[in-house]
Amino acid sequence: MVENRPWRWIVIHHSATTTGGAAAFDKMHRAKGWDELGYDFVIGNGTDTADGQIEVGPRWTKQKIGAHAKTPDNRFNEFGIGICLVGNFDVERPTPAQIKSLTRLCAYLMKTYRITPDRLLGHKDTKPTECPGVYMNVALIRRQAGLLAGIDSVNETGQAAAGTELLTDAPRQ
Ligand SMILES: [Zn+2]
């Protein structure tokens, strides 16, 4: 049993590559000198993994601090769940399957950790960056995941998830 971190944000990224998956990004991140894959989850686009497939990264299993959203106080790494969608959303749209998986994953996480929609962010909401690209509509995800989770921005105490019905391949805890 690993104790859950007190997650407070969800931070959405794109990979800025046309192909990839958790294994490829793990290699890239290690090559930069990081300990391992910086994100908690990776959502495939049908290249290295199936379209819309959610890969659970090793950090999530260990509930380890993230390496995906560095800021001076590091709060988005310490308390932000990093989700990366494979693709370069500066030039292409996420696939419908990726959006569906992202929405369900975010709803599950929001419900489980009582994260309100206003704390579901794009990487660029945390620092000056283009990530997750012009074609990633974070506001839409915020609204749809909030509805699915049954949490709105004024309800700070949404019920914790009773089960994992929102997500078939739920992270093990
Ligand atoms: Zn990013």
Side-chain angles (χ1 to χ4, degrees):
M1 278 292 275
V2 178
E3 200 167 329
N4 282 324
R5 290 186 72 78
W7 300 111
R8 285 192 274 154
W9 288 278
I10 296 170
V11 184
I12 298 173
H13 303 263
H14 71 154
S15 65
T17 58
T18 50
T19 65
F25 304 148
D26 179 67
K27 256 189 189 164
M28 283 170 53
H29 289 176
R30 284 174 197 269
K32 288 200 231 184
W34 300 359
D35 53 350
E36 58 184 340
L37 177 70
Y39 311 115
D40 294 292
F41 298 95
V42 177
I43 302 181
N45 69 346
T47 57
D48 286 16
T49 60
D51 188 14
Q53 184 181 335
I54 298 171
E55 291 183 281
V56 181
R59 308 191 99 79
W60 185 253
T61 316
K62 289 174 270 192
Q63 291 287 291
K64 187 157 120 188
I65 184 172
H68 57 88
K70 197 165 178 57
T71 53
D73 66 6
N74 215 30
R75 62 182 168 162
F76 297 109
N77 275 333
E78 276 193 58
F79 303 112
I81 302 165
I83 304 175
C84 178
L85 281 73
V86 181
N88 183 349
F89 305 147
D90 286 325
V91 296
E92 62 183 342
R93 292 177 190 286
T95 70
Q98 283 183 300
I99 292 299
K100 190 175 172 191
S101 293
L102 176 63
T103 304
R104 292 171 71 176
L105 176 59
C106 287
Y108 167 77
L109 295 169
M110 287 162 78
K111 219 171 163 182
T112 303
Y113 298 101
R114 302 183 179 195
I115 297 168
T116 49
D118 54 299
R119 288 177 171 237
L120 196 167
L121 307 174
H123 191 191
K124 64 180 164 194
D125 298 320
T126 71
K127 68 168 221 181
T129 167
E130 298 300 313
C131 181
V134 291
Y135 289 115
M136 179 74 241
N137 187 341
V138 174
L140 184 70
I141 303 298
R142 195 177 284 140
R143 201 156 58 235
Q144 290 187 337
L147 282 171
L148 190 56
I151 301 173
D152 60 43
S153 40
V154 292
N155 179 10
E156 282 283 333
T157 54
Q159 285 290 306
T164 54
E165 70 282 356
L166 288 169
L167 184 68
T168 43
D169 43 357
R172 268 176 226 106
Q173 290 166 6

